Amino acid sequence: MKETTKILHGIPVDELTGAIATPIYQTSTYVQIAPGVHKGYDYARSNNPTRKVLEDLIASLEEGRNGFAFASGLAAIDAIVKLLQFGDEIIAVEDIYGGAFRLFTHIYQKFGIHVNYVDSTNALNIENAITPKTKLIWIETPTNPTLKISDIQAIAKIAKANKVLLCVDNTFASPAVQKPIAFGADIVIHSATKYLAGHSDLIAGLVVTNSEELGEKIKFIQNATGAILAPFDSWLVIRGIETLPLRVKQHSETALKIATFLQQQDIVNNVYYPGLQEHKNYDIAKKQQKYFGGIISFDLKIEDKILATQLVSNTTYFKLAESLGGVKSLICLPCEMTHKSIPLEKRHQSGVTDSLIRLSVGLEDAEDLINDLKTVFQTIAKKISIKA
Ligand SMILES: *Cc1c(COP(=O)(O)O)cnc(C)c1O
């Protein structure tokens, strides 16, 4: 069975009624047959049939053992950190999602958990950073926003050899692009807000574990701390996942066309897209990814925030907004938006210059999207020539 068939037929038909769409079980509790005797459901924080369909679906899609649905991507990340104890250390990718950085720094540091950030595009940097206290390796690949790629298989080997857990934040790729557990990761997390839901209409997080033992621990944390996903939002994510492979294929095809177009523009300096042969980590991307995804970043030859601001404010189809992975294209200026809280020097070091622009390529026609950028580039080029 191929992937789309596996998804569509992995979502069970409702046993009670034959409903082909998953019913939304909007209930807080379940009537018991006798005290403590029930049909597997006692209270909706612990278990909900709609949420369970989503949890089983993501576990199967990520080729893992157990799935868990949380109220947000950050709640999912938070649940993983709660596997650790006072004094434990995390080695994390240096371009980590800003919200994860904030959680690690401002919440968990005071509980005695220390995080060491390294450039994980070279797996040796991870190996060298491991200490006896290291309990978790945390990577994102591709990273945000410069799309650096880390070799999941190589890092998983290092993690195993040192008995350290490897967690991959698979948000930017989605399981239609890569399956970290198949490469040896122990845990995968998602901001399902992005590609999995896919329509920019909710906030959700998912966790998948590779073993029953880890699954039981996450289940305990999920129930004990309570940041569960509501039935309706679970239903929307299921609905989103039904078209995930189709959407990601299309996002990726259009993104490659746009990235190629960007490379040919006079005003563009660097284009970051793992599907371009010029991309630093193209070979690893090709090895571990089925598609190259829908996110592209680029910066301008003239390093000017005002010009970049004009650019992102004047596109028609690319809407100016944070977030990514939806059917409608988005454009953002990380230095003023998603990455504003990162100190300037650190930002510049990781390639987030003042003119770096991030695109989340949607499902509009490629030609319309390219024309949208062409028009705004022409306006900008005129402004530059007037200035000169
Ligand atoms: C958005 C995002 C998150 C956080 O997810 P929320 O659903 O916004 O809480 C985590 N990791 C990555 C890579 C993200 O892009």
Side-chain angles (χ1 to χ4, degrees):
M1 211 180 353
K2 295 273 199 281
E3 184 135 285
T4 304
T5 317
K6 189 175 144 191
I7 291 172
L8 295 173
H9 293 273
I11 302 169
V13 171
D14 179 45
E15 273 179 28
L16 197 64
T17 63
I20 196 156
T22 305
I24 299 168
Y25 282 89
Q26 193 69 39
T27 188
S28 62
T29 191
Y30 310 86
V31 176
Q32 305 198 358
I33 303 148
V37 183
H38 52 74
K39 300 174 179 172
Y41 296 92
D42 53 358
Y43 186 59
R45 173 167 22 79
S46 317
N47 251 317
N48 175 284
T50 314
R51 197 174 86 219
K52 184 161 192 323
V53 171
L54 171 60
E55 293 179 333
D56 291 347
L57 181 62
I58 191 64
S60 143
L61 195 52
E62 284 288 6
E63 293 176 13
R65 199 59 173 266
N66 308 98
F68 302 94
F70 287 88
S72 68
L74 270 170
I77 296 172
D78 182 67
I80 307 306
V81 186
K82 287 192 167 98
L83 290 167
L84 305 186
Q85 293 185 6
F86 181 90
D88 287 349
E89 287 179 4
I90 302 173
I91 297 171
V93 52
E94 67 182 352
D95 293 344
I96 195 164
Y97 175 69
F101 180 80
R102 183 176 52 208
L103 178 75
F104 292 167
T105 310
H106 297 291
I107 306 287
Y108 281 104
Q109 200 164 292
K110 66 182 185 223
F111 291 123
I113 289 171
H114 180 76
V115 186
N116 193 353
Y117 296 92
V118 305
D119 172 4
S120 60
T121 58
N122 182 354
L124 278 179
N125 291 336
I126 291 193
E127 188 157 35
N128 292 336
I130 291 180
T131 75
K133 290 181 177 172
T134 308
K135 293 288 148 56
L136 179 65
I137 296 169
W138 190 282
I139 62 166
E140 285 172 32
T141 178
T143 58
N144 178 25
T146 55
L147 303 156
K148 291 178 191 148
I149 310 287
S150 295
D151 186 334
I152 302 171
Q153 204 163 20
I155 295 170
K157 260 193 203 148
I158 293 167
K160 282 229 158 53
N162 291 278
K163 297 193 170 60
V164 173
L165 291 175
L166 171 62
C167 178
V168 179
D169 181 337
N170 206 20
T171 300
F172 265 51
S174 95
V177 165
Q178 74 193 3
K179 300 185 195 294
I181 289 177
F183 292 122
D186 300 285
I187 305 168
V188 168
I189 75 104
H190 282 281
S191 168
T193 310
K194 318 290 167 56
Y195 283 105
L196 292 170
H199 294 72
S200 306
D201 52 8
L202 59 86
I203 301 287
L206 296 169
V207 171
V208 178
T209 60
N210 72 342
S211 74
E212 204 62 42
E213 189 196 343
L214 264 176
E216 272 166 27
K217 287 181 184 167
I218 298 294
K219 176 82 203 168
F220 182 85
I221 291 167
Q222 185 193 40
N223 187 50
T225 60
I228 47 151
L229 191 63
F232 181 59
D233 288 357
S234 299
W235 185 86
L236 278 171
V237 180
I238 295 167
R239 186 187 168 102
I241 291 175
E242 288 178 337
T243 56
L244 177 76
L246 268 177
R247 282 187 284 110
V248 166
K249 182 167 184 267
Q250 190 59 52
H251 284 305
S252 304
E253 268 176 42
T254 307
L256 183 59
K257 284 183 191 159
I258 293 175
T260 308
F261 159 80
L262 287 170
Q263 280 186 313
Q264 296 156 358
Q265 303 310 301
D266 288 338
I267 72 168
V268 171
N269 187 22
N270 300 291
V271 180
Y272 301 99
Y273 185 66
L276 295 173
Q277 284 181 31
E278 293 81 1
H279 187 284
K280 256 193 205 159
N281 316 120
Y282 173 76
D283 290 335
I284 309 170
K286 210 169 161 203
K287 186 184 86 170
Q288 70 190 16
Q289 298 185 201
K290 186 170 170 191
Y291 301 110
F292 296 111
I295 310 295
I296 307 168
S297 291
F298 64 97
D299 58 10
L300 304 179
K301 283 205 179 116
I302 300 179
E303 200 37 65
D304 183 335
K305 200 191 277 188
I306 297 167
L307 269 187
T309 302
Q310 282 172 348
L311 202 161
V312 299
S313 312
N314 285 291
T315 44
T316 304
Y317 303 125
F318 284 98
K319 300 294 185 196
L320 181 62
E322 298 194 0
S323 198
L324 56 112
V327 291
K328 290 183 187 169
S329 293
L330 301 178
I331 191 164
C332 92
L333 189 64
C335 72
E336 281 294 327
M337 298 166 72
T338 51
H339 287 62
K340 194 168 180 161
S341 64
I342 296 170
L344 186 101
E345 200 176 319
K346 196 163 176 284
R347 227 194 285 148
H348 283 187
Q349 255 172 25
S350 62
V352 184
T353 59
D354 285 356
S355 73
L356 187 89
I357 290 163
R358 187 186 78 190
L359 304 176
S360 171
V361 175
L363 296 182
E364 299 89 345
D365 287 296
E367 210 180 307
D368 289 330
L369 292 177
I370 288 173
N371 284 336
D372 194 12
L373 293 172
K374 237 183 222 167
T375 307
V376 77
F377 285 166
Q378 277 161 5
T379 316
I380 298 287
K382 257 187 221 147
K383 285 206 170 112
I384 297 171
S385 67
I386 291 167
K387 258 195 197 164

